[in-house]
Amino acid sequence: MDRVPILKIGDILLVSIQIDMEDQVALQLQEDLADRVVTTGCHGVIIDISGLDIVDSFVGRTLATIASISRVLDAETVVVGMRPAVAITLVELGLSLPGIRTALNVELGMALLARAKADERAGDSEWDEIDDEDAETAADAQP
Amino acid sequence: MALEPDEASRLAALLEDKQEELVGAWTDRVAQSLRGRLSRAELQRQTTELRKGFQSALAGGATDLTQEAAAELRAQLSDLSTGRARQGFSATETAVSLFALKEALLGVLDGGDAGNLREYVAFSEFVDAAALFTFDTYVHVRESLIADQAEQLLELSTPVVKLWDGVVAVPLVGTLDSARAQVVMERLLQTLVDTGSPYAIIDITGVPAVDTQVAQHILKTVVAARLMGADCIISGIRPQIAQTIVALGIEFGDIATKASLADALRYALNKTRTRES
């Protein structure tokens, strides 16, 4: 059975699907990816599906599951490069893949993850910000 | 009353013998019916060609327009009809051009005995079939013209323009039916992929009315774009349309809607800026 390779680039795992996504392949990818996220400790997963002509409901659901699993393991998942025809088919089927982040290409996907990480850091330093805001309000209040 | 083979060959001989006279009379009549919209030289050329076509078909033993011997004549007729249809002549004018052959032939037939009459009626039927054939071709050509134009209109009416780096817009003009919605969707999504733009503005200023079906089409496009990783903004919602949307209970959910294209562009640019910083 074919396996989908998982590449590690910095803090991101890149999965580029270039083969037909059969159900077994999808399930194998789900397992492999969960393992890799844990062993590498990466915080971002990019799944490139620009090579896929067909995304059926099972693959769609698997992608959603992968996203959920990764989130549990503290990694954001972005699905990138969906073809127009695939998007149209999914919409016609009524599958809008809720809970999955998407981007047009790998580059924009990496930017999205970087931003998500930056937001998270900002969230960590929330207390500092609040202090800053308080200081500002105080400054504004003074004539 | 179809042509008999011997009649066909006699007529072929007649068409050959009296060709000068026949072509002259025929061209006169056609010129009269078209009232100078085609030059006489052009008509003369056409009638000469057609006479040759009829003559060779009859000489080849054709007693019916559908026969093998008349294949060349059929091709000629369809060329003639196609040309006339494209030049804007009516179907009647094209058919009358052929009916004129009957009158011209009557002029060159000598005497009036029973044999000649039978022959003439049979030939007349042959010409009628030819005229009907041009009629069919005419309709066919016009239909394909209309189909071509409809397709061109579809292409013309759905441009996808790049407004800014990373922002594309689709100004929708005219009624949005399923076929057009499909074309718009495909075009927009393809442009998103080609340009790598994360924002798309769908401007509906030119859409005269928004009903549930149109809204459905727009929503589908937005969801599809979102699946691909691009955000859509709907702009150009006129006051009446906003009222209709609310009255119909159409939910746009978390899709950004703006009153004008300018607002939508500002919104998209702001989003792009927050992305970059």
Side-chain angles (χ1 to χ4, degrees):
Chain A
M1 192 185 68
D2 292 328
R3 273 188 183 214
V4 181
I6 301 170
L7 314 171
K8 180 175 179 294
I9 305 173
D11 196 29
I12 292 169
L13 289 177
L14 176 64
V15 182
S16 183
I17 302 171
Q18 304 288 342
I19 54 171
D20 280 345
M21 204 62 169
E22 280 160 23
D23 293 1
Q24 276 306 313
V25 179
L27 289 174
Q28 186 66 47
L29 174 65
Q30 184 180 319
E31 269 178 44
D32 290 353
L33 203 57
D35 288 348
R36 285 296 292 270
V37 170
V38 171
T39 51
T40 60
C42 285
H43 292 291
V45 176
I46 293 180
I47 304 176
D48 175 30
I49 57 167
S50 59
L52 283 185
D53 283 329
I54 299 163
V55 172
D56 58 17
S57 52
F58 185 80
V59 172
R61 213 184 66 205
T62 311
L63 289 175
T65 314
I66 289 176
S68 304
I69 294 172
S70 307
R71 201 166 302 133
V72 171
L73 298 171
D74 191 25
E76 276 293 334
T77 305
V78 186
V79 172
V80 303
M82 187 183 288
R83 292 189 184 187
V86 172
I88 292 171
T89 317
L90 285 178
V91 171
E92 294 296 336
L93 286 174
L95 298 168
S96 57
L97 306 185
I100 297 187
R101 288 187 182 222
T102 51
L104 284 172
N105 49 44
V106 176
E107 199 180 353
L108 289 171
M110 290 175 88
L112 183 68
L113 284 177
R115 211 159 52 243
K117 206 172 161 189
D119 286 352
E120 205 173 304
R121 279 214 194 111
D124 288 345
S125 54
E126 212 168 341
W127 292 108
D128 304 348
E129 265 180 35
I130 287 173
D131 289 348
D132 287 348
E133 272 172 28
D134 283 347
E136 270 170 28
T137 343
D140 287 345
Q142 280 173 358
Chain B
M1 191 158 75
L3 277 171
E4 300 293 331
D6 59 321
E7 288 173 348
S9 58
R10 263 212 304 287
L11 275 165
L14 184 70
L15 287 178
E16 189 64 36
D17 291 344
K18 306 268 173 113
Q19 53 173 295
E20 297 272 322
E21 222 178 318
L22 194 70
V23 167
W26 190 2
T27 311
D28 285 342
R29 296 212 176 270
V30 177
Q32 207 181 344
S33 74
L34 296 184
R35 286 187 296 273
R37 273 186 288 161
L38 271 181
S39 70
R40 207 189 141 79
E42 173 74 14
L43 285 175
Q44 178 109 21
R45 197 185 54 75
Q46 285 179 353
T47 46
T48 311
E49 287 292 312
L50 278 175
R51 188 211 58 85
K52 221 178 278 171
F54 272 105
Q55 196 262 328
S56 58
L58 291 171
T63 55
D64 196 302
L65 197 64
T66 54
Q67 281 169 351
E68 185 60 36
E72 203 168 319
L73 177 62
R74 282 204 302 276
Q76 269 186 338
L77 289 172
S78 101
D79 279 353
L80 173 83
S81 188
T82 308
R84 291 278 173 93
R86 290 197 190 281
Q87 285 160 0
F89 289 96
S90 75
T92 311
E93 282 164 338
T94 314
V96 165
S97 303
L98 279 162
F99 290 140
L101 170 61
K102 294 199 282 191
E103 289 179 51
L105 185 73
L106 192 62
V108 299
L109 273 176
D110 47 343
D113 58 56
N116 267 347
L117 184 63
R118 212 205 94 82
E119 218 166 83
Y120 179 73
V121 172
F123 180 69
S124 161
E125 204 169 276
F126 188 80
V127 175
D128 289 349
L132 284 176
F133 181 79
T134 63
F135 204 97
D136 280 349
T137 314
Y138 182 92
V139 172
H140 187 73
V141 169
R142 286 309 271 262
E143 268 172 6
S144 66
L145 266 181
I146 291 170
D148 285 353
Q149 284 171 350
E151 200 173 311
Q152 284 169 3
L153 211 61
L154 208 61
E155 302 255 312
L156 272 181
S157 59
T158 51
V160 180
V161 290
K162 182 177 168 180
L163 282 187
W164 211 269
D165 262 347
V167 185
V168 294
V170 209
L172 290 178
V173 177
T175 319
L176 202 64
D177 56 7
S178 301
R180 262 197 75 195
Q182 190 72 21
V183 173
V184 171
M185 195 196 265
E186 279 169 19
R187 280 277 191 90
L188 175 61
L189 299 186
Q190 193 54 52
T191 314
L192 289 177
V193 174
D194 293 346
T195 61
S197 309
Y199 290 102
I201 301 172
I202 302 177
D203 187 79
I204 57 169
T205 312
V207 180
V210 173
D211 54 13
T212 41
Q213 207 181 355
V214 172
Q216 190 67 24
H217 289 316
I218 296 175
L219 284 178
K220 271 187 186 172
T221 310
V222 174
V223 174
R226 201 169 270 183
L227 274 177
M228 288 173 53
D231 261 335
C232 281
I233 303 151
I234 301 170
S235 77
I237 302 172
R238 281 175 282 125
Q240 313 93 295
I241 300 234
Q243 292 185 30
T244 326
I245 288 173
V246 173
L248 287 174
I250 298 165
E251 283 288 339
F252 278 122
D254 54 347
I255 299 163
T257 52
K258 301 283 164 196
S260 69
L261 185 60
D263 283 345
L265 182 59
R266 188 180 302 131
Y267 175 80
L269 288 178
N270 272 337
K271 290 272 251 182
T272 322
R273 210 168 299 147
T274 44
R275 272 185 160 210
E276 278 162 5
S277 61

